[in-house]
Amino acid sequence: MRLLPYFCRGQVVRGFGRGSKQLGIPTANFPEQVVDNLPADVSTGIYYGWASVGSGEVHKMVVSIGWNPYYKNTKKSMETHIMHTFKEDFYGEILNVAIVGYLRPEKNFDSLESLISAIQGDIEEAKKRLDLPEHLKLKEDNFFQVSKSKIMNGH
């Protein structure tokens, strides 16, 4: 994605239930229309940035933008892992995301273990990068302060 940071928000929908159950890494899924509005040139892969739920606190996050096997890879999916322990699910809440940087391309793994360790590595790397001043300042961006419209995509 050439134009970072990229901001989007939308209602959290149910995904495939893989994130937390199989991987121990819970993810929040955006509805199709938010993903469909991503810039056409967006590269699939792992990105990092900031996220908040509703008008809640802003936390570090990693987001995977990938081809969705469920739709025979004709549609992209976007799964956000927020680095914060939430007490309960937040389906139906508004998720606000600011994507600030790119970590690595999407790739296939030969085992669940190697996938999990890659994701854990992504999370550690994202934590470090988000402490850089140019990324840290986006945590305070007006995007996270304004009254929330239901769905928005843009820069």
Side-chain angles (χ1 to χ4, degrees):
M1 229 183 306
R2 292 189 308 269
L3 298 166
L4 291 177
Y6 179 80
F7 300 93
C8 60
R9 66 170 123 247
Q11 211 167 15
V12 177
V13 297
R14 288 184 186 274
F16 300 108
R18 288 182 306 223
S20 44
K21 291 183 187 63
Q22 290 180 10
L23 305 175
I25 301 162
T27 58
N29 295 266
F30 272 129
E32 269 174 49
Q33 69 254 45
V34 174
V35 183
D36 290 347
N37 284 330
L38 285 168
D41 65 352
V42 64
S43 303
T44 58
I46 310 300
Y47 293 81
Y48 59 93
W50 302 100
S52 68
V53 177
S55 51
E57 281 177 50
V58 181
H59 300 287
K60 294 177 176 180
M61 65 82 178
V62 287
V63 58
S64 163
I65 298 175
W67 292 106
N68 194 323
Y70 185 77
Y71 293 107
K72 304 194 169 42
N73 299 328
T74 56
K75 279 188 174 292
K76 290 192 177 110
S77 67
M78 192 171 165
E79 297 182 52
T80 304
H81 169 70
I82 303 172
M83 297 177 209
H84 175 74
T85 304
F86 291 90
K87 290 183 188 62
E88 54 217 31
D89 286 342
F90 45 85
Y91 296 118
E93 299 274 340
I94 297 296
L95 174 65
N96 309 290
V97 165
I99 300 175
V100 303
Y102 181 73
L103 281 174
R104 64 170 173 84
E106 199 183 16
K107 55 180 189 246
N108 286 318
F109 292 91
D110 47 14
S111 71
L112 204 54
E113 287 69 34
S114 55
L115 170 61
I116 291 168
S117 73
I119 296 170
Q120 284 165 344
D122 297 336
I123 290 169
E124 290 313 308
E125 184 60 30
K127 282 180 183 168
K128 286 205 289 269
R129 293 196 196 181
L130 286 163
D131 285 333
L132 297 170
E134 69 266 26
H135 293 330
L136 209 47
K137 70 172 192 276
L138 284 157
K139 185 180 182 180
E140 310 302 327
D141 193 272
N142 282 340
F143 172 74
F144 292 113
Q145 317 300 332
V146 295
S147 63
K148 312 290 193 271
S149 64
K150 275 283 188 238
I151 292 180
M152 173 191 134
N153 277 65
H155 302 281

